[in-house]
Amino acid sequence: MGTGHFFWVIFYFASLCSASLANNAKINFREKEKKVLDQILGAGKYDARIRPSGINGTDGPAIVRINLFVRSIMTISDIKMEYSVQLTFREQWTDERLKFDDIQGRLKYLTLTEANRVWMPDLFFSNEKEGHFHNIIMPNVYIRIFPNGSVLYSIRISLTLACPMNLKLYPLDRQICSLRMASYGWTTNDLVFLWKEGDPVQVVKNLHLPRFTLEKFLTDYCNSKTNTGEYSCLKVDLLFKREFSYYLIQIYIPCCMLVIVSWVSFWLDQGAVPARVSLGVTTLLTMATQTSGINASLPPVSYTKAIDVWTGVCLTFVFGALLEFALVNYASRSDMHKENMKKKRRDLEQASIDAASDLLDTDSNATFAMKPLVRHPGDPLALEKLRQCEVHMQAPKRPNCCKTWLSKFPTRSKRIDVISRITFPLVFALFNLVYWSTYLFREEEDE
């Protein structure tokens, strides 16, 4: 009997243990979450209109820590001076009224999708132009409540934010676009925003922008004081560098080619008036169209941009090539007029010489002595006067290379063309040297 009684006692305790394990295995934690939520958020137990207390239950301001995850940057508009960004925005604070029993660590946190059930910071984006939430398929928002009363709020939003730009170095510029977050109604006596310790801002890997590169970002504080009090504010400065290769291919190289094409006019014949006029007018109109297209994609700012200097000088060179042909045409007509006048003068002189010779032949009875106008080289009187002149004459000057070279071209119109072939490329090369050294040096200073 003793052995049988001992066996039944062991069997009874084993049955109790198995029943207890079975009960634990059948615990419905979702039902436990409902009970906990009803317990901490039930009617008359929690008021979402009252802000949480300060650190350690004091009457100080509620501390809200912020962090961001930048998912994408869609567009950066120069003409509107704005940029669009999609990000995951997170806030975290402690509300001791939301503490609950975690059932020995089995209930890690509670999840809500209705933000109006708990107190929320009144944060807004101060430089926002447009913004919207994402509701496909369900609203992209959640609230997690932890056993110690810590609350995590996360939401995915898309924003279009103002970004004032300085375009003096465009397109060799860098731009700083900010994201500002501030409290709308709670002053720093009640609410303070802080960046989350560690890594408050994360950016998605392989972020691709068509015309910019995100070089770095900086976090800072920007508290503002108004006549209603001081308000907590956070900001992120995103430093963008403009990709110059696009503008080099689309603007700078085509403008250089147009300027060089306008120089072809200097190598055409002076008589090819239709060819030279059509070439000059075509390049001028093309350059003007290029300039207007560039300005159409930029805001009408009051200062001069780097691209304005480039297009203005290129337009001046093309216009100068057209004016050069007008000058060549005028010089050509002037040369023709001078040549005609010389020809007439020679004809008149020849006619007068012929008339004088006829008069001498007919008047054979008249005899008179005439001194020769030109003395022969062997004349002693001429040699004596030549020696006297050599005493008073200065040493002959060295020949000028440029004048000697230009003397090969008898007409002024041809000389203008030849000088332009050398002057225009040299001046344009000098301009390029000054332009790139100036703006690249200023870019390094700004950096």
Side-chain angles (χ1 to χ4, degrees):
M1 289 295 295
T3 303
H5 180 71
F6 179 73
F7 173 77
W8 285 109
V9 170
I10 293 175
F11 179 77
Y12 175 74
F13 279 107
S15 300
L16 290 177
C17 291
S18 60
S20 177
L21 291 174
N23 290 333
N24 289 336
K26 294 179 180 179
I27 292 178
N28 190 340
F29 285 98
R30 304 289 79 79
E31 186 67 24
K32 289 291 184 180
E33 289 182 6
K34 177 182 180 303
K35 291 181 179 180
V36 172
L37 286 174
D38 292 339
Q39 179 183 355
I40 61 177
L41 298 177
K45 295 183 178 181
Y46 183 86
D47 193 342
R49 299 173 297 176
I50 308 301
R51 72 168 180 86
S53 58
I55 299 175
N56 298 325
T58 62
D59 195 31
I63 304 299
V64 178
R65 299 189 180 275
I66 307 293
N67 67 53
L68 305 173
F69 176 64
V70 179
R71 292 181 172 271
S72 63
I73 299 175
M74 280 75 75
T75 58
I76 301 177
S77 174
D78 296 314
I79 190 168
K80 294 183 179 180
M81 291 196 177
E82 64 183 22
Y83 72 105
S84 300
V85 61
Q86 183 186 124
L87 50 88
T88 298
F89 174 74
R90 305 186 188 98
E91 296 176 305
Q92 194 163 8
W93 66 94
T94 300
D95 192 343
E96 296 186 353
R97 297 172 295 176
L98 299 177
K99 289 182 177 180
F100 62 89
D101 183 13
D102 59 355
I103 313 177
Q104 298 178 355
R106 297 180 182 180
L107 198 59
K108 295 182 178 180
Y109 55 81
L110 305 174
T111 302
L112 297 177
T113 56
E114 300 176 1
N116 58 356
R117 296 289 302 274
V118 298
W119 177 86
M120 291 290 299
D122 60 344
L123 180 141
F124 77 105
F125 298 93
S126 58
N127 60 332
E128 171 203 353
K129 287 187 174 182
E130 294 179 359
H132 66 271
F133 302 114
H134 293 265
N135 297 319
I136 300 175
I137 299 177
M138 292 293 292
N140 297 167
V141 58
Y142 68 80
I143 297 176
R144 291 177 180 173
I145 304 175
F146 295 88
N148 62 349
S150 179
V151 181
L152 173 63
Y153 173 74
S154 178
I155 187 170
R156 187 165 73 100
I157 53 179
S158 291
L159 300 170
T160 300
L161 304 164
C163 178
M165 299 182 181
N166 185 350
L167 299 174
K168 288 184 178 180
L169 297 181
Y170 176 91
L172 300 166
D173 57 334
R174 286 177 169 84
Q175 301 297 337
I176 298 177
C177 295
S178 298
L179 173 64
R180 294 174 175 266
M181 301 159 286
S183 172
Y184 189 80
W186 299 97
T187 64
T188 52
N189 295 327
D190 297 309
L191 179 62
V192 172
F193 291 122
L194 297 176
W195 286 113
K196 184 180 179 180
E197 297 178 358
D199 193 10
V201 178
Q202 303 93 38
V203 179
V204 66
K205 294 182 179 179
N206 301 323
L207 179 65
H208 177 71
L209 297 172
R211 297 186 185 181
F212 289 88
T213 300
L214 179 61
E215 287 193 329
K216 60 182 178 180
F217 52 87
L218 302 173
T219 58
D220 201 357
Y221 296 89
C222 54
N223 291 5
S224 60
K225 291 184 179 180
T226 66
N227 56 3
T228 57
E230 181 179 1
Y231 298 90
S232 184
C233 174
L234 304 178
K235 72 172 182 176
V236 185
D237 290 333
L238 304 173
L239 179 59
F240 295 102
K241 180 182 179 182
R242 198 181 299 272
E243 287 291 342
F244 179 69
S245 58
Y246 168 82
Y247 301 92
L248 179 65
I249 297 172
Q250 297 294 326
I251 296 177
Y252 284 90
I253 292 179
C255 288
C256 274
M257 294 174 65
L258 285 173
V259 172
I260 294 172
V261 167
S262 68
W263 298 343
V264 176
S265 174
F266 306 151
W267 298 87
L268 296 179
D269 187 71
Q270 303 168 10
V273 176
R276 296 187 69 162
V277 170
S278 60
L279 180 63
V281 172
T282 302
T283 53
L284 182 62
L285 292 177
T286 307
M287 191 66 219
T289 304
Q290 180 87 344
T291 304
S292 63
I294 295 169
N295 292 330
S297 62
L298 295 172
V301 294
S302 60
Y303 47 82
T304 302
K305 303 179 288 294
I307 196 68
D308 294 335
V309 176
W310 175 263
T311 55
V313 172
C314 290
L315 189 62
T316 303
F317 270 92
V318 174
F319 183 68
L322 186 60
L323 290 182
E324 188 270 349
F325 170 68
L327 182 61
V328 166
N329 187 267
Y330 172 78
S332 178
R333 288 185 285 108
S334 178
D335 291 337
M336 291 178 61
H337 178 71
K338 286 183 178 181
E339 188 64 28
N340 292 333
M341 293 298 293
K342 286 181 180 180
K343 186 177 181 181
K344 288 181 180 180
R345 192 180 298 111
R346 286 195 301 267
D347 292 342
L348 290 174
E349 290 177 354
Q350 186 65 32
S352 62
I353 291 173
D354 293 341
S357 62
D358 292 341
L359 182 61
L360 290 174
D361 291 339
T362 54
D363 193 7
S364 57
N365 295 327
T367 57
F368 53 90
M370 294 182 63
K371 295 182 179 180
L373 296 177
V374 180
R375 296 188 180 272
H376 297 286
D379 192 350
L381 181 59
L383 292 173
E384 182 64 23
K385 289 187 176 181
L386 182 60
R387 293 190 189 97
Q388 294 177 1
C389 292
E390 287 178 353
V391 174
H392 299 285
M393 286 176 62
Q394 296 179 356
K397 296 181 179 179
R398 298 179 62 183
N400 192 326
C401 297
C402 294
K403 290 183 179 180
T404 304
W405 178 66
L406 289 175
S407 63
K408 297 179 181 179
F409 308 100
T411 60
R412 289 190 302 169
S413 57
K414 189 63 177 179
R415 292 177 184 175
I416 294 173
D417 269 344
V418 171
I419 293 174
S420 299
R421 294 172 189 174
I422 300 173
T423 305
F424 273 70
L426 285 179
V427 176
F428 190 68
L430 180 62
F431 161 71
N432 273 270
L433 179 63
V434 174
Y435 179 87
W436 295 113
S437 60
T438 299
Y439 283 102
L440 291 177
F441 180 71
R442 290 180 60 182
E443 183 188 10
E444 291 178 358
E445 282 186 347
D446 292 346
E447 184 179 0

